[in-house]
């Protein structure tokens, strides 16, 4: 079988930093653990050895799609976004407080309901099919996700709950939770992160009630899909939904970052919204993407039982916002249990400004690892899972340095 030589560089830390902390790219932090072992081919990224994967009180039969590792399973249920005074909890509470105060329903109660304890185990149908994600879409790949088996998985986005909540009759809600994607190893990527999803549906009366001669306007038509609208939506409806969406999100980031924030909108693509946008903010002289959003695909809304309504949806990453707002240099710090890290966010009020203070100044150690690879059925994320299983969060970065294929094998 033809194979090629793979050369990877792994940056990690020795036991000498166990009690002192460690340095990350010139900015320091502490994880409270150490790793100084050498990886050999005898180590494997462990998955449960029984015929089932047990998680949150349920057992899922294993099959050829099962690829969730014990390391990942050990993180499920931590719910960092619900741990009081955790930085992710602070961000969640700030956003929730903003929506509660800014948007009031007919009876004086908050318009948006919040769901932050939904199970991260969802069906493949919930995660992909109901969101109109094509069967051949790259996001479905086994190498990109953590599957319990071919029918169940750890959610890859909080959008997996959109359909169910709309189907239950909700018109305005926020969903917060941990999401799981197999990913590279560096300071800004982690296989578990946290998202907030927002959805708002409008009836004909709700959308046009404040518009002159609004009673003559309609949500739907039988037209053609363009870059600016879906075939079933009227241009008037889309413009109002888009305006409301961008207004809501502009108010949100202004509340988080302060007045005078420079914002721009970039057209993009998502399978479940059209038109779709990304919001970028100019923060400390750099343009940063902070969220994605758009007008919900009417086919999705209709299938959930809300055929007479039109709506918008957005999704944002809590870690990204927290890293920007609190100057947290490494995404793995969110999993630290070190009091020196956590106590920095124990503030009397959720809106109080926090500036993360580095903990130590120790240099990293570097290991270069080389190994043979089969010509088929290999994903770099397989190696990343192996590294995380052995090294945990001490591993700062894994970089592919070189690949080599022997000339005699080129034609095989």
């Amino acid at each position: 079988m033809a194979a090629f030589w793979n050369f990877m560089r792994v940056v990690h830390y020795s036991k000498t930093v166990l009690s002192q902390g460690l340095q990350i790219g010139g900015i320091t932090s502490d994880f409270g653990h150490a790793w100084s072992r050498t990886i050999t081919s005898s180590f494997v990224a462990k998955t449960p050895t029984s015929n089932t994967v047990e998680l949150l009180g349920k057992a899922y039969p294993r099959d050829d799609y099962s690829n969730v590792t014990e390391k990942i399973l050990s993180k499920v249920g931590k719910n960092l976004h619900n741990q009081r005074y955790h930085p992710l909890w602070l961000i969640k509470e700030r956003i929730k407080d903003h929506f509660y105060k800014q948007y009031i329903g007919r009876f004086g109660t908050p318009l948006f309901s919040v769901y932050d304890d939904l199970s991260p185990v969802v069906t493949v149908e919930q995660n992909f099919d109901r969101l109109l994600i094509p069967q051949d879409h790259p996001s479905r790949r086994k190498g990109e996700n953590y599957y319990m088996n071919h029918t169940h998985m750890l959610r890859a986005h909080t959008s997996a709950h959109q359909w169910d909540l709309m189907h239950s009759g909700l018109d305005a809600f926020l969903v917060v939770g941990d999401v799981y994607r197999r990913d590279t190893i560096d300071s800004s990527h982690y296989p578990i992160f946290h998202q907030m999803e927002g959805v708002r549906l409008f009836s004909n009366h709700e959308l046009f009630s404040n518009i002159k001669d609004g009673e003559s306007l309609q949500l739907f038509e039988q037209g053609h899909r363009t870059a600016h609208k879906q075939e079933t939506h009227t241009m008037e409806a889309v413009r109002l939904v888009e305006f409301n969406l961008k207004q809501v999100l502009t108010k949100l980031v202004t509340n988080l970052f302060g007045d005078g924030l420079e914002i721009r909108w970039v057209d993009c693509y998502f399978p479940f919204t059209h038109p779709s946008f990304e919001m970028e903010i100019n923060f400390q002289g750099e343009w940063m993407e902070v969220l994605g959003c758009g007008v919900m695909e009417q086919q999705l809304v209709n299938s959930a039982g809300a055929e007479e309504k039109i709506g918008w949806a957005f999704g944002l990453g809590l870690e990204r916002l927290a890293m920007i707002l609190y100057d947290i240099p490494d995404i793995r710090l969110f999993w630290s249990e070190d009091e020196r890290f956590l106590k920095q966010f124990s503030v009397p009020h959720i809106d109080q400004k926090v500036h993360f203070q580095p903990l130590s100044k120790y240099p990293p150690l570097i290991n270069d690892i080389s190994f043979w690879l089969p010509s088929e059925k290999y994903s770099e994320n397989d190696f990343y899972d192996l590294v995380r299983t052995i090294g945990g969060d001490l591993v700062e970065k894994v970089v592919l340095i070189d690949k080599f294929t022997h000339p005699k094998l080129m034609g095989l």
Side-chain angles (χ1 to χ4, degrees):
M1 179 182 293
F4 60 86
W5 190 258
N6 211 45
F7 194 48
M8 305 287 275
R9 173 159 292 165
V10 181
V11 183
H12 67 102
Y13 304 89
S14 72
K15 292 183 178 179
T16 59
V17 301
L18 179 60
S19 61
Q20 298 296 326
L22 49 91
Q23 183 177 15
I24 296 176
I27 307 178
T28 57
S29 61
D30 184 278
F31 297 97
H33 298 284
W35 177 44
S36 61
R37 291 174 289 173
T38 300
I39 296 179
T40 70
S41 60
S42 64
F43 286 100
V44 295
K46 295 181 180 179
T47 55
T49 55
S50 67
N51 291 327
T52 61
V53 181
E54 296 186 5
L55 184 62
L56 303 177
K58 293 185 179 181
Y60 301 88
R62 296 187 66 210
D63 58 26
D64 59 352
Y65 247 72
S66 305
N67 67 348
V68 63
T69 66
E70 290 182 355
K71 188 72 177 179
I72 297 300
L73 290 174
S74 70
K75 304 283 191 180
V76 179
K78 296 291 186 181
N79 296 327
L80 301 182
H81 60 286
N82 288 335
Q83 294 184 16
R84 194 171 180 83
Y85 297 121
H86 190 279
L88 297 179
W89 176 85
L90 285 178
I91 290 290
K92 182 197 74 171
E93 290 299 308
R94 288 187 65 184
I95 297 174
K96 187 171 73 173
D97 182 67
H98 170 76
F99 273 88
Y100 278 179
K101 292 178 178 178
Q102 192 74 32
Y103 308 101
I104 307 299
R106 288 180 297 173
F107 304 106
T109 56
L111 177 65
F112 286 83
S113 51
V114 179
Y115 301 86
D116 59 9
D117 59 354
L118 300 176
S119 173
V121 181
V122 298
T123 64
V124 172
E125 181 182 8
Q126 287 174 303
N127 199 82
F128 295 122
D129 298 329
R130 289 179 178 173
L131 294 171
L132 312 178
I133 297 174
Q135 289 290 332
D136 59 350
H137 197 276
S139 65
R140 287 178 177 260
R141 292 174 183 164
K142 183 178 175 181
E144 304 297 322
N145 301 283
Y146 287 106
Y147 285 93
M148 313 296 285
N149 51 40
H150 74 283
T151 61
H152 288 79
M153 63 186 297
L154 293 173
R155 63 189 170 207
H157 43 199
T158 48
S159 305
H161 302 287
Q162 273 188 18
W163 191 95
D164 294 294
L165 293 173
M166 288 190 298
H167 189 64
S168 70
L170 294 175
D171 289 341
F173 56 85
L174 303 175
V175 181
V176 191
D178 43 342
V179 299
Y180 300 77
R181 298 179 193 173
R182 302 180 76 194
D183 214 337
T184 186
I185 297 177
D186 58 38
S187 61
S188 60
H189 294 87
Y190 200 70
I192 311 162
F193 55 103
H194 297 74
Q195 282 187 337
M196 174 176 284
E197 189 88 7
V199 168
R200 175 77 165 98
L201 300 180
F202 301 88
S203 65
N204 196 91
H205 172 73
E206 289 171 318
L207 192 62
F208 298 125
S209 60
N210 295 322
I211 304 299
K212 184 179 180 181
D213 299 325
E215 63 275 4
S216 64
L217 300 177
Q218 298 297 321
L219 298 178
F220 307 112
E221 68 176 10
Q222 293 300 318
H224 300 282
R225 177 172 290 241
T226 70
H228 306 289
K229 64 180 284 293
Q230 298 171 39
E231 57 273 21
T232 58
H233 295 160
T234 64
M235 184 56 72
E236 294 83 6
V238 171
R239 285 175 175 171
L240 285 174
V241 171
E242 181 181 328
F243 175 81
N244 182 268
L245 169 63
K246 291 181 177 180
Q247 184 183 55
V248 166
L249 295 176
T250 298
K251 287 181 179 179
L252 172 61
V253 296
T254 299
N255 178 265
L256 293 174
F257 291 91
D259 295 327
L261 186 68
E262 192 175 356
I263 296 171
R264 69 184 183 189
W265 299 93
V266 179
D267 293 337
C268 64
Y269 166 78
F270 300 113
F272 33 85
T273 56
H274 180 78
S276 303
F277 314 96
E278 287 180 343
M279 173 194 275
E280 295 183 351
I281 63 171
N282 194 328
F283 186 74
Q284 296 181 348
E286 290 187 36
W287 284 103
M288 299 182 179
E289 182 264 314
V290 291
L291 58 85
C293 62
V295 178
M296 297 185 73
E297 284 284 353
Q298 196 60 38
Q299 181 182 342
L300 169 58
V301 177
N302 291 350
S303 69
E307 300 92 339
E308 297 180 355
K309 296 179 180 179
I310 185 174
W312 53 247
F314 73 84
L316 56 83
L318 296 184
E319 277 89 348
R320 183 158 183 76
L321 288 178
M323 291 175 78
I324 296 171
L325 283 169
Y326 303 140
D327 293 321
I328 298 175
D330 195 293
I331 195 170
R332 288 156 292 202
L333 276 168
F334 292 104
W335 294 89
S336 173
E337 297 180 356
D338 192 320
E339 282 300 313
R340 293 178 298 170
F341 172 75
L342 295 174
K343 70 180 182 181
Q344 296 187 39
F345 303 93
S346 182
V347 292
H349 193 275
I350 58 175
D351 290 322
Q352 181 171 320
K353 290 186 177 181
V354 179
H355 180 80
F356 170 71
Q357 298 298 316
L359 305 177
S360 184
K361 295 182 179 179
Y362 283 83
L365 301 178
I366 297 175
N367 275 6
D368 289 339
I369 298 173
S370 57
F371 50 90
W372 289 98
L373 288 180
S375 59
E376 299 177 352
K377 295 183 179 179
Y378 172 77
S379 166
E380 286 188 7
N381 285 331
D382 295 334
F383 183 75
Y384 298 144
D385 272 342
L386 168 63
V387 172
R388 285 194 177 96
T389 297
I390 304 302
D393 293 344
L394 279 181
V395 181
E396 177 191 353
K397 181 184 292 187
V398 176
V399 180
L400 177 64
I401 302 299
D402 191 22
K403 289 184 179 181
F404 172 74
T405 302
H406 196 283
K408 292 184 178 180
L409 300 176
M410 292 291 288
L412 294 182

